Amino acid sequence: MHPTHRVLTVALLAATASVVAGPSTAAAQAPKDPVMAALYTNWQGQIDNITKAAEEMTEANYAYKPVATVRSFGELIGHVAGTQDLICAAVLGEPVPAEDAIEKSAKTKAAIVAALKASTAHCAKAYQIPAASGSAMVDMFGSKSTKLAALTLNAVHDGEHYGNIVTYMRMKGMVPPSSKR
């Protein structure tokens, strides 16, 4: 077995094992297909941490910006929710909402957390697509992408912004969810 394949096999087995290990805030069970299960698990870990962080941050700190040129904490969570809705709608063949719809409309912690949880439930359905349909093409940010690539982008995007969230939380003296384990 090629070393790269061995690493991927071990990662897939680890991802599948973590799906079996315990519950999460994501709305659906992991797919049975090992490729989709690994993809789902990667996304699930990111969105679970984001959701916990969104719940832990105080209402007052939803307006916090480390510097004036970046999104506030609340806008960042709204951006994650809106992007999830956009990507997962495309994968599911639904009308695609504006990426910034939630970021612009949800202004309270309660509304933003509710929108995040709704987008997570929406995406949980998208991660349930059969792997065989993953090669179908969708429009994604002005270009063509496979459904699997779109779902991968969603997980990577969530992970990218969880990094931002960690920084915001640390600047407020908080311990991010991923550091509490």
Side-chain angles (χ1 to χ4, degrees), residues 14 26 36 44 66 70 75 81 86 88 95 133 142 144 150 162 171:
M36 293 305 296
Q44 178 188 41
V70 300
E75 290 167 338
L86 180 150
C88 294
S133 70
K144 293 290 184 186
Y162 181 62
M171 292 177 85

Side-chain angles (χ1 to χ4, degrees), residues 1 22-23 25 29 35 43-44 52 57 78 97 99 119 122-123 130 132-133 139 172 177:
M1 180 181 283
T25 59
Q29 295 290 351
V35 171
W43 165 73
Q44 178 188 41
K52 289 173 188 167
M57 186 64 81
E99 181 182 13
S119 75
H122 187 218
C123 280
S133 70
D139 290 321
K172 286 298 189 178

Side-chain angles (χ1 to χ4, degrees), residues 90-93 136-140 143-147 150:
V91 168
L92 293 169
M137 302 302 286
V138 295
D139 290 321
M140 192 59 39
S143 61
K144 293 290 184 186
S145 174
T146 65
K147 289 182 176 187

Side-chain angles (χ1 to χ4, degrees), residues 48-57 62 73 77 162 165 169 174 176-177:
D48 283 354
N49 282 330
I50 290 169
T51 303
K52 289 173 188 167
E55 292 171 335
E56 291 173 14
M57 186 64 81
Y62 262 63
F73 183 85
I77 301 298
Y162 181 62
I165 291 164
M169 291 183 84
M174 299 174 71

